[in-house]
């Protein structure tokens, strides 16, 4: 997939996946914006996902300069926007897990400081129902007792930085199952001990139950003191935790 500028007057950019949803997605997310299909954005996911409720995805836009935000889209999900993240002092890369409602392209769009979007993706084959069929979610009897509890793990990376893994207890219900309202984490802020943003994550309903987020923090970005994790879900329940580097 080579880079192709959408603002070239001679041709409309062609979706490399040939997705029937692409015209709708282009209008919804990129209308009036400049964008390219760009190999420097890496999206990794299994070619065949056996469990549509728990599909491991990673996005890496670190090859681009000055990434200001990254949008993750699953074309054929009832909620195409799966997640958005804003890198601060952390690298422009994130690992997470999604629910998919069937086989679909999974795309990442990274916006750089010049306002241009850089898109790439991968196609995932899976069975239907990850978003619209009952899963464990709020049907677990203990979910209220553990709601928004956070566990973390920090490991050094070969380049002298740190890899932070955050797991949050939350049902992440899509609202598409009868009798179970939409209920998901809305925002998550990760900051260093000085209060400087490492990353802001805005998970959508397609993020899998008990979400796990993995991010890389370059050497020197942490500073003294613990990593601070804060956020809330769409019902206003707060998330508060600290992680010692």
């Amino acid at each position: 997939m080579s880079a192709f500028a959408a603002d070239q007057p001679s041709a409309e950019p062609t979706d490399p996946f040939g997705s029937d949803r692409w015209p709708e997605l282009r209008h919804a997310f990129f209308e009036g914006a400049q964008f390219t299909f760009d190999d420097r954005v890496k999206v990794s996911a299994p070619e065949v996902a056996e469990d549509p409720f728990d599909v491991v995805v990673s996005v890496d836009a670190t090859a681009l300069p000055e990434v200001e935000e990254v949008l993750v889209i699953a074309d054929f999900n009832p909620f195409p926007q799966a997640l958005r993240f804003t890198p601060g002092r952390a690298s422009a890369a994130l690992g997470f897990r999604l629910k998919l409602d069937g086989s679909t392209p999974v795309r990442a769009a990274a916006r750089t400081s010049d306002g241009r979007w850089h898109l790439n993706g991968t196609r995932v084959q899976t069975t239907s129902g990850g978003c619209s069929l009952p899963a464990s979610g709020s049907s677990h009897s203990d979910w209220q007792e553990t709601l928004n509890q956070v566990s973390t793990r920090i490991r050094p990376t070969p380049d002298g930085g740190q890899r932070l893994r955050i797991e949050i207890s939350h049902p992440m219900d899509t609202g598409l199952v009868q009798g179970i309202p939409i209920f998901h984490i809305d925002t998550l802020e990760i900051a260093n001990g000085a209060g400087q943003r490492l990353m802001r994550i805005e998970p959508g309903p397609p993020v899998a139950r008990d979400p796990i987020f993995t991010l890389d923090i370059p050497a020197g970005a942490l500073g003294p003191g613990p990593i601070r994790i804060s956020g809330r879900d769409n019902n206003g329940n707060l998330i508060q935790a600290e992680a010692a580097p």
Side-chain angles (χ1 to χ4, degrees), residues 209-229:
R209 180 182 188 263
D210 296 336
I212 297 173
F213 302 108
T214 304
L215 57 146
D216 287 336
I217 304 168
L222 282 182
I227 297 170
R228 299 172 184 174
I229 301 162

Side-chain angles (χ1 to χ4, degrees), residues 152-226:
T152 61
R153 185 171 65 196
I154 303 175
R155 292 182 175 178
T157 56
D159 60 1
Q162 303 285 333
R163 174 160 292 175
L164 172 63
R165 180 184 184 273
I166 302 170
E167 181 172 2
I168 305 170
S169 178
H170 201 285
M172 299 299 290
D173 291 313
T174 63
L176 298 175
V177 178
Q178 186 174 3
I180 301 177
I182 188 169
F183 187 35
H184 65 93
I185 297 171
D186 235 1
T187 59
L188 194 66
E189 291 274 1
I190 302 104
N192 66 14
Q196 297 168 316
R197 174 182 287 172
L198 297 171
M199 184 175 286
R200 176 183 173 90
I201 305 172
E202 299 173 29
V207 171
R209 180 182 188 263
D210 296 336
I212 297 173
F213 302 108
T214 304
L215 57 146
D216 287 336
I217 304 168
L222 282 182

Side-chain angles (χ1 to χ4, degrees), residues 226-244:
I227 297 170
R228 299 172 184 174
I229 301 162
S230 61
R232 66 176 60 238
D233 62 30
N234 68 312
N235 280 2
N237 300 298
L238 298 181
I239 300 167
Q240 298 283 349
E242 292 186 350

Side-chain angles (χ1 to χ4, degrees), residues 135-143 170-173 180-181 183 209:
S136 47
S138 297
S139 64
H140 267 239
S141 59
D142 65 345
W143 71 269
H170 201 285
M172 299 299 290
D173 291 313
I180 301 177
F183 187 35
R209 180 182 188 263

